[in-house]
């Protein structure tokens, strides 16, 4: 019968069963049992192991056997040992996900470093300024603000947005053509019945969530190729039955290239000639670092471009505040789709954002975060250039993420290997292949999509170090 050990709650904080079964030396069997406990998630990162003397006594084996097993697992990176802290499961030793995991397996531990794209630094939310704006807004709010309202949204916010978007993004509109929503996905759902009777042209790389939303609504999507000048707008006339295209023209997501001026004009000409619409996702228009800001496409033709923005990247996705700048002929159809008040954004947040905009607090916050994110972007570029000069860093002129493109000749297996190495280092990030449209015909690209905005300032250096350890080495 194989020997086993069940630890006490005092030593590990949770029950753990070690089976010392199999052939080989006691040292090898113990090492294998501890590795299995980490892989399965029964020993989660940070768990403190019992002193080797205590474990040796519990298992009835020599102290040196346990000490040698601990030392071997520390050398391999499974465990860590520090003076005064004991021996613990290393944070880099994240439980691996088996191909077919049993239903009862322990949940995986959370990654140590979050480098997922699209998330701002939550620790930098301007709490004091937001609270001050909320107090002023609520004090000055008319009584009717807390009764049945306008489905367009609060007039204070629509007026503030009309001024702000004209000043910073070159948007041409008036408050009556702005409809407040809870974010881009909500806007897209509202636009489906008004704008999308046929297939929708989209970029070959984009958010899978948006494609899923459209597919669930029965909207077929046709991918357009992308090169160094942005989306291939010349393909639009060849798409049969489409009357709309969804673009990220200022900073293509996730590849990061801006739409070339000639192609911007071509998209507008297509919309005018076909009677179609351009849905402009201006998801990170405020964050420009190395070039003059790229104005909104909507400024070229307010009757053919539907401009959508939100505060998800600039302030927080938790606020659930966005806006649509619509052609006049579409406003009533979108309001009808919006329907009952339960789907409307909260009045207090709308009033607060209006105050935040009109008093200049939003501009000050954007300038501060732009400087902070630029520093992080520069640190990321320097680190990758030093540790992995064979990788190409792209999409860095704007936004909150960069793409680390793998060398020419790399395939999807190389990308998967890089993602496994990242998970092993406790990193949460995405591979570029996950953003590719399933029907795209352009040559696939492979790499890592690294969001540099999410970690706090204190956590970012550690995240960069972990990323550098995970980057693939030069082949040959």
């Amino acid at each position: 019968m194989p020997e086993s050990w069940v630890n006490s709650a005092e030593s590990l904080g949770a029950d753990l069963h070690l089976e010392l079964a199999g052939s080989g030396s006691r040292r090898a069997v113990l090492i294998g049992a501890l590795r299995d406990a980490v892989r399965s998630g029964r020993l989660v990162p940070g768990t403190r192991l019992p002193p080797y003397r205590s474990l040796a006594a519990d298992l009835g084996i020599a102290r040196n056997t346990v000490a040698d097993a601990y030392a071997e697992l520390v050398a391999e990176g499974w465990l860590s040992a520090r003076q005064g802290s004991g021996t613990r499961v290393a944070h880099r030793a994240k439980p691996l996900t088996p191909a077919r995991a049993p239903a009862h397996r322990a949940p995986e531990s959370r990654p140590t470093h979050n480098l997922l794209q699209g998330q701002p630094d939550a620790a930098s939310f301007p709490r004091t300024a937001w609270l001050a704006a909320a107090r002023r807004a609520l004090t000055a709010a008319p009584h009717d603000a807390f009764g049945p309202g306008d489905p367009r949204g609060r007039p204070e916010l629509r007026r503030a947005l009309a001024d702000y978007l004209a000043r910073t993004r070159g948007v041409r509109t008036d408050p009556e053509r702005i409809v407040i929503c809870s974010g881009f996905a909500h806007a897209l759902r509202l636009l489906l019945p008004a704008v999308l009777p046929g297939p929708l042209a989209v970029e070959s790389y984009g958010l899978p969530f948006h494609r899923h939303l459209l597919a669930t609504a029965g909207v077929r999507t046709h991918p357009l190729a992308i090169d160094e000048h942005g989306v291939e707008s010349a393909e639009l006339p060849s798409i049969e039955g489409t009357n709309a295209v969804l673009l990220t023209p200022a900073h293509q997501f996730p590849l990061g290239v801006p739409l070339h001026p000639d192609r911007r004009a071509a998209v507008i000409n297509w919309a005018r000639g076909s009677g179609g619409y351009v849905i402009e996702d201006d998801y990170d228009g405020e964050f420009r670092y190395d070039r003059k800001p790229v104005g909104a496409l909507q400024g070229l033709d307010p009757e053919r471009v539907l401009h959508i923005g939100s505060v998800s990247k600039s302030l927080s996705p938790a606020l659930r505040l966005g806006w649509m700048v619509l052609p006049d002929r579409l406003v009533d159809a979108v309001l009808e789709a919006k329907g009952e008040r339960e789907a409307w954004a909260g009045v207090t947040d709308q009033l607060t954002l209006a105050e935040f905009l009109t008093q200049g607090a939003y501009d000050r916050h954007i300038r501060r975060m732009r400087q902070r994110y630029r520093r992080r972007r520069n640190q990321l570029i320097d680190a990758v250039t030093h540790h992995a000069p064979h990788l190409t860093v792209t999409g860095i002129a704007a936004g909150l993420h960069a793409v680390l493109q793998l060398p020419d000749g790399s395939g999807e297996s190389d990308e998967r290997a890089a993602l496994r190495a990242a998970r092993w280092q406790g990193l949460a990030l995405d591979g570029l292949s996950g953003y590719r449209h399933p029907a795209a015909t352009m040559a696939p690209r492979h790499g890592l999509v690294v969001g540099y905005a999410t970690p706090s300032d204190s956590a970012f250096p550690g995240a960069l170090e972990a990323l550098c350890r995970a980057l693939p080495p030069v082949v040959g």
Side-chain angles (χ1 to χ4, degrees):
M1 182 176 180
E3 298 178 58
S4 65
W5 166 68
V6 180
N7 66 290
S8 66
E10 288 76 13
S11 60
L12 281 179
D15 286 337
L16 175 70
H17 187 76
L18 286 179
E19 291 282 356
L20 298 188
S23 58
S25 66
R26 288 295 183 91
R27 175 179 173 276
V29 170
L30 177 58
I31 288 174
L34 287 169
R35 282 201 200 104
D36 289 342
V38 175
R39 282 196 187 101
S40 67
R42 289 182 289 128
L43 275 174
V44 300
T47 301
R48 182 169 182 170
L49 300 183
Y52 70 87
R53 294 180 179 83
S54 301
L55 182 56
D58 288 335
L59 294 176
I61 58 179
R63 294 179 181 178
N64 287 345
T65 299
V66 180
D68 289 346
Y70 278 11
E72 175 68 21
L73 291 173
V74 168
E76 292 179 2
W78 294 88
L79 306 178
S80 64
R82 291 184 180 180
Q83 186 78 23
S85 182
T87 304
R88 298 177 182 270
V89 177
H91 280 284
R92 64 178 294 183
K94 185 175 181 288
L96 303 179
T97 304
R100 295 186 179 220
H104 61 275
R105 75 175 172 87
E108 292 188 1
S109 61
R110 298 181 63 181
T112 306
H113 304 290
N114 185 355
L115 293 180
L116 294 172
Q117 60 76 30
Q119 303 177 28
D121 179 4
S124 296
F125 183 81
R127 303 186 190 200
T128 301
W130 186 261
L131 180 59
R135 286 173 175 159
R136 292 193 301 269
L138 292 178
T139 299
H143 296 313
D144 65 6
F146 304 99
D150 188 335
R152 286 177 174 82
R154 286 299 304 172
E156 297 92 337
L157 178 55
R158 291 186 284 113
R159 287 194 295 267
L161 283 170
D163 293 341
Y164 174 79
L165 294 173
R167 174 169 54 84
T168 64
R169 305 295 299 126
V171 169
R172 294 190 287 153
T173 190
D174 60 68
E176 297 307 306
R177 294 167 60 174
I178 295 178
V179 175
I180 304 302
C181 58
S182 62
F184 182 83
H186 183 212
L188 201 55
R189 290 187 178 98
L190 295 176
L191 291 174
L192 292 179
V195 182
L196 302 175
L200 175 69
V202 298
E203 297 160 331
S204 283
Y205 282 79
L207 276 176
F209 169 68
H210 292 166
R211 291 197 297 267
H212 176 73
L213 185 157
L214 293 163
T216 302
V219 177
R220 291 186 295 113
T221 54
H222 185 100
L224 300 169
I226 304 167
D227 61 18
E228 67 274 14
H229 298 303
V231 73
E232 292 275 11
S233 52
E235 297 180 3
L236 279 169
S238 65
I239 306 174
E240 185 176 354
T242 188
N243 74 323
V245 58
L246 170 59
L247 299 177
T248 51
H251 187 231
Q252 199 284 325
F253 181 85
L255 299 179
V257 294
L259 189 60
H260 190 275
D262 291 344
R263 295 189 180 178
R264 289 164 66 93
V267 169
I268 296 299
N269 289 337
W270 167 82
R272 289 171 177 168
S274 65
Y277 294 103
V278 181
I279 303 173
E280 178 181 27
D281 181 3
D282 198 36
Y283 68 99
D284 63 358
E286 295 93 345
F287 297 110
R288 293 290 180 272
Y289 309 126
D290 293 337
R291 62 169 186 257
K292 293 180 180 179
V294 178
L297 194 63
Q298 190 267 2
L300 297 180
D301 193 332
E303 295 304 320
R304 288 294 156 195
V305 181
L306 292 64
H307 180 88
I308 303 176
S310 77
V311 298
S312 293
K313 309 294 187 298
S314 57
L315 282 172
S316 168
L319 288 178
R320 309 311 307 146
L321 277 175
W323 50 86
M324 293 178 279
V325 181
L326 302 171
D328 186 62
R329 67 174 69 89
L330 294 181
V331 172
D332 288 342
V334 170
L335 294 178
E336 182 179 352
K338 195 173 183 183
E340 298 297 328
R341 288 191 297 273
E342 282 72 15
W344 301 0
V347 166
T348 54
D349 283 342
Q350 291 187 57
L351 293 172
T352 303
L353 179 58
E355 179 72 14
F356 210 65
L357 286 163
T358 56
Q359 296 301 313
Y362 190 75
D363 288 85
R364 291 190 291 274
H365 173 73
I366 291 297
R367 285 196 296 270
R368 183 168 58 250
M369 298 311 298
R370 191 183 293 134
Q371 293 172 356
R372 180 171 299 175
Y373 292 151
R374 181 191 285 115
R375 285 196 299 270
R376 294 190 188 181
R377 183 211 59 170
N378 292 344
Q379 291 169 349
L380 171 64
I381 295 171
D382 291 344
V384 174
T385 301
H386 178 73
H387 291 277
H390 57 296
L391 303 185
T392 303
V393 188
T394 63
I396 56 176
L400 306 181
H401 73 275
V403 175
L404 310 187
Q405 293 195 22
L406 298 180
D408 292 342
S410 301
E412 194 165 346
S413 61
D414 300 296
E415 183 178 291
R416 289 197 298 267
L419 288 173
R420 285 196 298 270
R423 288 195 296 270
W424 180 250
Q425 294 293 341
L427 288 165
L429 48 76
D430 293 326
L432 188 55
S433 297
Y435 295 93
R436 179 179 169 85
H437 194 291
T441 58
M442 63 178 287
R445 304 184 186 188
H446 303 287
L448 302 176
V449 180
V450 180
Y452 49 79
T454 305
S456 64
D457 283 346
S458 60
F460 189 63
L464 270 186
E465 291 177 6
L467 176 65
C468 290
R469 291 195 296 267
L471 295 178
V474 178
V475 178

